[in-house]
């Protein structure tokens, strides 16, 4: 294991902050707050060197989610991962999809990097067709 344990407390703190902001302020205000505070403005595109950092942050957010006293929702986990990647000037997108099962609407969120799903099953977009533009699509 590479020296990435320092990422876990940062992911835990961000996961908590995102969860609280979603609960208190809603999605739009939380998304705006995360965009305002990120460093992505200087990024043009992703590089091959970013791949290891992406894997590290996926690991850290997954670990923080497992250690959280409350199981964070997919939107909280995805916005957390997306915002931590933005802090590293790595371009990614949060995707939200929905499907109807019987008479109930079900939604799900995940993060994509260079068109690849990071924090969910690779076929998640088939099971939850994405709705509209993604968060972070236009850095």
């Amino acid at each position: 294991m590479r020296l990435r344990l320092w990422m876990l407390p940062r992911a835990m703190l961000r996961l908590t902050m995102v969860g609280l902001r979603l609960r208190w302020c809603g999605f739009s205000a939380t998304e705006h707050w995360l965009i305002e505070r990120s460093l992505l403005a200087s990024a043009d595109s992703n590089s091959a060197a970013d791949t290891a950092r992406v894997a590290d942050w996926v690991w850290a957010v997954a670990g923080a989610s497992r250690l959280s006293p409350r199981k964070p929702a997919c939107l909280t986990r995805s916005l957390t991962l997306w915002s931590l990647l933005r802090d590293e000037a790595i371009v990614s997108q949060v995707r939200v999809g929905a499907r109807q099962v019987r008479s109930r609407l079900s939604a799900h969120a995940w993060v994509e990097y260079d068109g690849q799903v990071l924090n969910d099953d690779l076929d998640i977009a088939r099971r939850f067709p994405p709705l509209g533009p993604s968060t972070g699509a236009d850095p």
Side-chain angles (χ1 to χ4, degrees):
M1 178 186 343
R2 290 193 311 248
L3 296 175
R4 60 184 179 181
L5 290 177
W6 66 269
M7 297 171 118
L8 192 55
R10 186 167 165 206
M12 290 177 78
L13 179 61
R14 183 71 56 89
L15 189 68
T16 302
M17 291 168 44
V18 169
L20 290 172
R21 285 194 72 94
L22 280 170
R23 185 169 303 162
W24 293 339
C25 305
F27 174 77
S28 185
T30 301
E31 178 189 28
H32 182 70
W33 174 74
L34 290 169
I35 289 170
E36 277 187 343
R37 64 175 307 284
S38 75
L39 305 173
L40 189 60
S42 63
D44 291 328
S45 64
N46 296 327
S47 70
D50 293 335
T51 304
R53 298 298 280 181
V54 168
D56 289 344
W57 283 117
V58 169
W59 172 86
V61 172
S65 296
R66 283 191 300 275
L67 293 171
S68 178
R70 292 181 162 201
K71 181 169 172 40
C74 58
L75 183 59
T76 303
R77 294 189 314 267
S78 295
L79 284 174
T80 298
L81 176 58
W82 172 73
S83 71
L84 289 165
L85 293 175
R86 284 182 68 88
D87 287 353
E88 300 276 337
I90 297 172
V91 178
S92 64
Q93 294 82 36
V94 172
R95 303 292 296 194
V96 176
R99 69 180 178 185
Q100 188 168 356
V101 178
R102 297 184 191 136
S103 62
R104 188 164 184 232
L105 185 65
S106 181
H108 191 64
W110 64 94
V111 178
E112 292 182 359
Y113 166 77
D114 281 345
Q116 298 297 311
V117 175
L118 294 180
N119 60 339
D120 214 307
D121 297 332
L122 298 178
D123 70 339
I124 193 67
R126 183 180 56 75
R127 291 184 285 136
F128 288 89
L131 305 170
S134 60
T135 296
D138 299 314

